[in-house]
Amino acid sequence: MTEQAAAISIRNLRKTYAGFRESPAKLALDGVSFDVPQGQIFGLLGPNGAGKSTLINILAGMVQKSSGTVEIWGHDIDRDHRNAKASIGIVPQEIVFDPFFTPFEVLELQGGLYGVPEALRKSEELLRAVHLDDKRNAYARTLSGGMKRRLLIAKAMVHSPPVLVLDEPTAGVDVELRRQLWELVVELNREGVTVVLTTHYLEEAEELCDRIAIINHGQLIANKPTRELVEMAREKIVVLTLDRDVAALTVHPAFLKCETTGERTVEITYDKDRTNAGEILALVQGQGFAIVDVTTREADLEDVFVTLTSVAKEAA
Ligand code: ADP
Ligand code: MG
């Protein structure tokens, strides 16, 4: 191990996809450096097109980096490819399966590909871990989307890697399945697996991750413990339904934003360090409105981005 206890260590990573015919070359990673500490659940957060999958696919050996260095569990992916590969399990963004294999066969085949001797394979144990033991002999094509995702996680773990990477594990899945996948990730992490996951949901990163790095346009714009990052999103929103037309409402300086969303509904954004929802409500009631309904929302990823990019501008 070169760095002190980094599961993954990335330095000045660049990737330019070559252009093809009319499409120009694309700089997908623009000098990214960070460490993933051992034992954590680490979130790589960013909007679509930010470069998350490019980074993951470089770790997986499926995309060739243009420059920079990557170490996985202390093994350089160029100089020590075999050990680097053995140290990581990857769950790709796209679900691809041969429909005619059963979950048990999928795991046995993958174990074979990774050179795990038959006697040491843990296919049954892995099926239990992802709650698919009752689907042991079902064809993959008959599994639900959620079962397929869980099988992919088991497949990534056949060689017992210390690091598991999941690329957008919950994109487009329903709330219940999302919860199940989160629980599975937490269980694996408790057993000692370092987990890296990419997501474009702040809520997911906030709920699961010890640390979050944010990537945007191929550049790392933040890398902090989750709590600190969430604190940076100072804005909160109250959504109000009033007893009459919102048009009569006068904007107060405490309202950072005041957005009419219907005849009688309005979303007021405020700085949670300076005021609170109660004061905002009092300001609205002070203008003679009755409040019919109220909900609050935390700032989302986009708000964090706005905060971060404006902080960067102020500092520049
Ligand atoms: P994310 O996973 O964060 O959505 P990607 O890593 O998939 O982002 O993409 C980053 C950028 O690289 C995007 O602009 C995307 O269009 C581009 N890109 C991704 N894969 C390729 C490819 N194989 N060839 C050319 N451009 C690509
Ligand atoms: Mg992606």
Side-chain angles (χ1 to χ4, degrees):
M1 198 102 331
T2 49
E3 302 266 308
Q4 48 118 21
I8 297 177
S9 185
I10 293 172
R11 291 293 173 275
N12 301 317
L13 187 61
R14 280 176 179 276
K15 172 63 189 180
T16 306
Y17 290 104
F20 182 71
R21 300 219 172 116
E22 287 88 47
S23 47
K26 172 76 198 176
L27 178 63
L29 292 174
D30 186 10
V32 170
S33 302
F34 65 92
D35 282 352
V36 175
Q38 283 187 20
Q40 290 202 343
I41 301 182
F42 186 95
L44 186 62
L45 202 65
N48 283 330
K52 302 182 297 297
S53 291
T54 299
L55 194 148
I56 300 306
N57 291 337
I58 290 170
L59 296 177
M62 295 186 314
V63 165
Q64 192 77 30
K65 63 186 160 61
S66 302
S67 63
T69 59
V70 177
E71 285 181 10
I72 302 170
W73 217 249
H75 308 293
D76 185 285
I77 59 166
D78 296 326
R79 284 181 284 121
D80 196 1
H81 173 71
R82 283 175 71 95
N83 283 318
K85 189 178 172 198
S87 303
I88 198 165
I90 308 257
V91 181
Q93 188 170 351
E94 307 298 336
I95 296 182
V96 272
F97 273 123
D98 190 318
F100 297 107
F101 288 115
T102 68
F104 183 77
E105 289 166 341
V106 166
L107 298 186
E108 287 292 305
L109 280 170
Q110 185 76 358
L113 275 178
Y114 271 85
V116 182
E118 230 172 307
L120 295 180
R121 289 192 201 144
K122 312 178 297 180
S123 303
E124 308 278 1
E125 189 187 325
L126 283 167
L127 286 176
R128 269 196 304 279
V130 298
H131 312 293
L132 282 177
D133 26 344
D134 57 331
K135 295 288 169 188
R136 184 188 190 281
N137 299 320
Y139 285 126
R141 66 162 187 268
T142 67
L143 303 181
S144 70
M147 292 172 184
K148 284 180 183 155
R149 278 177 201 263
R150 300 206 304 266
L151 180 54
L152 279 178
I153 294 175
K155 192 178 165 194
M157 294 300 297
V158 291
H159 55 299
S160 310
V163 186
L164 175 67
V165 178
L166 305 123
D167 195 3
E168 306 253 4
T170 65
V173 310
D174 64 34
V175 178
E176 195 191 314
L177 175 56
R178 183 169 300 172
R179 287 270 155 211
Q180 279 180 23
L181 290 169
W182 287 359
E183 273 170 32
L184 190 53
V185 164
V186 169
E187 274 168 34
L188 286 166
N189 179 248
R190 276 206 202 105
E191 284 158 24
V193 178
T194 302
V195 177
V196 178
L197 61 92
T198 75
T199 181
H200 56 268
Y201 303 117
L202 180 67
E203 188 208 350
E204 175 159 287
E206 206 179 321
E207 170 103 15
L208 273 184
C209 300
D210 301 299
R211 194 176 182 89
I212 297 175
I214 297 185
I215 185 171
N216 195 23
H217 300 303
Q219 294 180 331
L220 207 71
I221 60 171
N223 174 10
K224 289 180 187 300
T226 303
R227 176 151 301 285
E228 276 178 42
L229 192 68
V230 168
E231 280 301 307
M232 293 180 75
R234 284 183 302 236
E235 294 182 357
K236 274 191 91 162
I237 300 157
V238 276
V239 183
L240 301 177
T241 306
L242 305 177
D243 64 332
R244 55 197 168 84
D245 200 331
V246 183
L249 184 71
T250 311
V251 175
H252 186 274
F255 305 170
L256 298 179
K257 252 186 293 173
C258 186
E259 215 175 314
T260 307
T261 50
E263 213 169 278
R264 294 185 175 186
T265 55
V266 62
E267 294 192 6
I268 300 173
T269 305
Y270 61 94
D271 185 334
K272 70 180 177 195
D273 291 346
R274 289 195 199 151
T275 182
N276 58 50
E279 281 177 33
I280 298 293
L281 295 190
L283 287 169
V284 173
Q285 285 164 327
Q287 292 187 32
F289 288 93
I291 290 159
V292 177
D293 192 26
V294 55
T295 52
T296 61
R297 267 199 290 129
E298 291 285 344
D300 61 13
L301 176 58
E302 211 168 309
D303 300 313
V304 179
F305 273 126
V306 171
T307 308
L308 284 171
T309 45
S310 64
V311 166
K313 267 183 217 134
E314 278 163 28

